[in-house]
Each structure stands twice: as structure tokens, then as C-alpha cells.
Amino acid sequence: MERSKIENSIIEIFNDVFEIKDIVINDELSQKDVEDWDSIGHVRLIIAIQEEFNIDIPIKDTISLSTVGRIIDYVCKKITHL
């Protein structure tokens, strides 16, 4: 799957999980930029990503997934290693 397709899917997930309206979602967007992206929001986001891409994200990896770019890169790597 191409990075652009993964990126579009993840942006859609962000919009669904956080109901983002006034924020531009780009690679640099981080937890500090989204009010609802707290620990519970992060769990909801990770679960949604796992379901969308049918992948498993170990708890130890979730800590480093603190920006949209890191999440996209991580999913790209996971999908290419299936």
C-alpha cells in the first residue's frame, strides 16, 4: 500500500477519533496540538488504526507514536513487513 493511501486513511481516522475540524493534519501534528489527544484518546487512536489496517501495535511501540508522521511511517513499515 502506498504511503499516500495510508496517510489518507490515518487522517480519516484522526477526524473520526478526535472530531478535528479547525486543525490541519500533517506529519508534524502532535499530541500537544490536539486537545483530546490525551492517554485515553491515544488508546482510541491506536485501536482504530489497528482495526483499519489489521495490524498489531505492541504497547511498547505506542509511546513513540506521538506525531502523525511517526504514525504513518510506523504503519507503512508494519504493512510492508506482513
Side-chain angles (χ1 to χ4, degrees), residues 1-2 6 55 73-82:
M1 184 180 281
E2 296 176 14
I6 292 169
I55 59 174
D73 291 342
Y74 182 87
V75 172
C76 289
K77 288 177 188 173
K78 286 290 271 194
I79 288 176
T80 59
H81 288 96
L82 292 177

Side-chain angles (χ1 to χ4, degrees), residues 6-41:
I6 292 169
E7 182 176 358
N8 289 336
S9 293
I10 290 177
I11 288 171
E12 213 172 289
I13 291 168
F14 264 84
N15 284 324
D16 290 344
V17 170
F18 299 119
E19 299 177 1
I20 295 174
K21 294 180 178 94
D22 299 332
I23 298 176
V24 175
I25 300 174
N26 57 35
D27 283 358
E28 290 78 37
L29 187 74
S30 70
Q31 291 174 311
K32 67 178 183 209
D33 301 316
V34 180
E35 184 177 335
D36 292 335
W37 192 355
D38 55 14
S39 57
I40 300 297

Side-chain angles (χ1 to χ4, degrees), residues 1 9-10 13 16-17 42-57 71 74-75 78-79 82:
M1 184 180 281
S9 293
I10 290 177
I13 291 168
D16 290 344
V17 170
H42 195 66
V43 170
R44 291 178 34 234
L45 176 65
I46 297 300
I47 290 170
I49 291 169
Q50 290 179 119
E51 290 173 354
E52 174 71 22
F53 295 101
N54 196 29
I55 59 174
D56 181 46
I57 303 175
I71 292 169
Y74 182 87
V75 172
K78 286 290 271 194
I79 288 176
L82 292 177

